Amino acid sequence: MIQIKEAILVEGKYDCNTLRQLVDTVILETGGFRIFKDKERLEMIRKIAAYRGILILTDSDGAGCTIRSFLRGALPKAQVKHAYIPEILGKEPRKRHPSKEGKLGVEGMPQQILLKALQRAGATFLNAETAAAWGEPLKKADLYALGLSGGAGSAQRRHALLQALGLPQYLSANALLDFINAVSNRVEVEKVLQQLGYCNLEKGGISR
């Protein structure tokens, strides 16, 4: 698995699934055109871009170009890199019919083409030593162990953490996991929880 520093921003979940088979980094989605009106999602993307940079990778069709153009004006230029895929006619296996323009999107691109697109965009590839410096990423099980999901009072703890981090209060546990892995690590999250008055239990959970 190839590790890169920048987070990657794509249009939808199937694009995310394709890239997660190729690279080890935080992969975010715009939700298509929803990004135009979702100010809180855009603010979260800005925070991640400021911390580690963003690689924008949209489809090569008209919709992808429109989304990229919007993001180009909404994010600081110095924090953004643009990766482009070629225009290849075809249809993704999961779809019954080709897209309106008949072009393959990010989800349908071969891995070698996606990798070349990231390389040309100037992605920062990490070796094992520099990747370790980012800290061990959190997993869903860690959120449970930290009392942030799946337990009594987890929603309250998650709300308090989101508020302390200056994040949208509507973020789900999964969205919170993506953000934490983009800008922080378990050690720093534990420190924030302790500052909020939560303490570790012997069995690894969090209590107040």
Side-chain angles (χ1 to χ4, degrees):
M1 187 70 72
I2 301 166
Q3 296 177 306
I4 66 173
K5 173 187 174 183
E6 294 85 3
I8 300 176
L9 181 59
V10 295
E11 294 180 49
K13 65 179 181 180
Y14 294 105
D15 301 328
C16 288
N17 293 341
T18 295
L19 281 168
R20 286 188 176 122
Q21 298 174 40
L22 175 66
V23 295
D24 180 9
T25 189
V26 174
I27 302 173
L28 310 165
E29 57 181 282
T30 67
F33 291 141
R34 289 200 299 273
I35 191 64
F36 296 168
K37 296 183 178 180
D38 194 338
K39 294 181 180 179
E40 292 184 319
R41 180 186 291 265
L42 185 59
E43 183 58 29
M44 184 178 73
I45 292 170
R46 286 195 182 107
K47 289 178 183 289
I48 293 173
Y51 184 81
R52 63 190 297 163
I54 286 279
L55 269 162
I56 295 176
L57 180 61
T58 60
D59 293 349
S60 60
D61 59 7
C65 290
T66 299
I67 292 171
R68 185 188 295 275
S69 179
F70 170 79
L71 293 169
R72 192 187 297 275
L75 300 173
K77 183 178 179 180
Q79 298 167 2
V80 176
K81 296 177 181 179
H82 290 271
Y84 297 88
I85 58 172
E87 293 187 354
I88 299 176
L89 297 179
K91 179 184 73 68
E92 286 81 7
R94 72 175 180 86
K95 295 180 179 178
R96 181 172 297 180
H97 304 289
S99 65
K100 184 178 180 180
E101 297 181 25
K103 301 173 184 176
L104 287 177
V106 170
E107 69 165 286
M109 284 290 133
Q111 287 192 348
Q112 64 269 26
I113 291 180
L114 290 173
L115 180 58
K116 185 175 290 186
L118 295 176
Q119 290 171 330
R120 287 176 173 171
T124 306
F125 292 88
L126 305 177
N127 56 35
E129 183 177 347
T130 52
W134 287 92
E136 186 69 21
L138 270 74
K139 300 179 176 60
K140 288 185 179 180
D142 295 318
L143 290 186
Y144 178 78
L146 291 169
L148 295 169
S149 70
S154 60
Q156 179 183 351
R157 296 185 186 96
R158 193 164 64 249
H159 177 88
L161 179 63
L162 288 168
Q163 192 171 39
L165 295 175
L167 295 175
Q169 297 301 302
Y170 72 84
L171 284 187
S172 65
N174 286 341
L176 174 61
L177 186 66
D178 286 339
F179 182 84
I180 290 173
N181 284 333
V183 303
S184 187
N185 54 49
R186 181 183 177 117
V187 173
E188 293 181 0
V189 170
E190 287 179 339
K191 287 181 180 178
V192 173
L193 289 171
Q194 290 172 358
Q195 291 169 358
L196 292 171
Y198 298 101
C199 58
N200 289 318
L201 293 172
E202 291 182 2
K203 60 182 180 181
I206 297 289
S207 180
R208 191 164 202 171

